[in-house]
Amino acid sequence: MSLTKETKSDIIKQFGGSEQNTGQAEVQIAIFSRRIRELTEHLRAHPKDNHTRHGLLKLVGKRKKLLAYLNKTDIERYRKVLADLDLRK
């Protein structure tokens, strides 16, 4: 259920520019979005898995906070992340 090393490194390269740039808000939002997508698929198959549901809600909250931060600090980067990840706001 977790991301593989290769998948995570691809996301980091795409949104961070280099392998070392893991703390950038765009990278973290992209990783959270990928995990949210995977957990959503898991919950469709296992609707009574409340532990996973709780983890999913925590991830959604973290992503929401990062998106709010990005919106407040740099609106252009925020809009680019929304477009790249196909998120709606």
Side-chain angles (χ1 to χ4, degrees), residues 28-89:
Q28 292 181 22
I29 291 169
I31 290 172
F32 287 157
S33 296
R34 182 65 178 261
R35 287 184 59 202
I36 288 169
R37 220 174 288 126
E38 288 182 2
L39 289 176
T40 304
E41 290 300 317
H42 172 78
L43 283 172
R44 285 194 180 122
H46 306 91
K48 293 186 178 185
D49 188 356
N50 289 320
H51 292 299
T52 301
R53 186 177 316 280
H54 180 72
L56 173 66
L57 291 175
K58 286 179 85 169
L59 279 176
V60 170
K62 285 181 182 181
R63 182 178 72 179
K64 184 178 178 183
K65 286 179 187 178
L66 279 171
L67 283 169
Y69 164 77
L70 201 57
N71 187 16
K72 185 174 62 176
T73 57
D74 192 352
I75 192 74
E76 292 303 318
R77 285 173 44 198
Y78 171 75
R79 290 181 180 148
K80 185 176 180 337
V81 166
L82 288 182
D84 289 346
L85 294 174
D86 198 27
L87 300 175
R88 46 181 193 184
K89 210 34 165 176

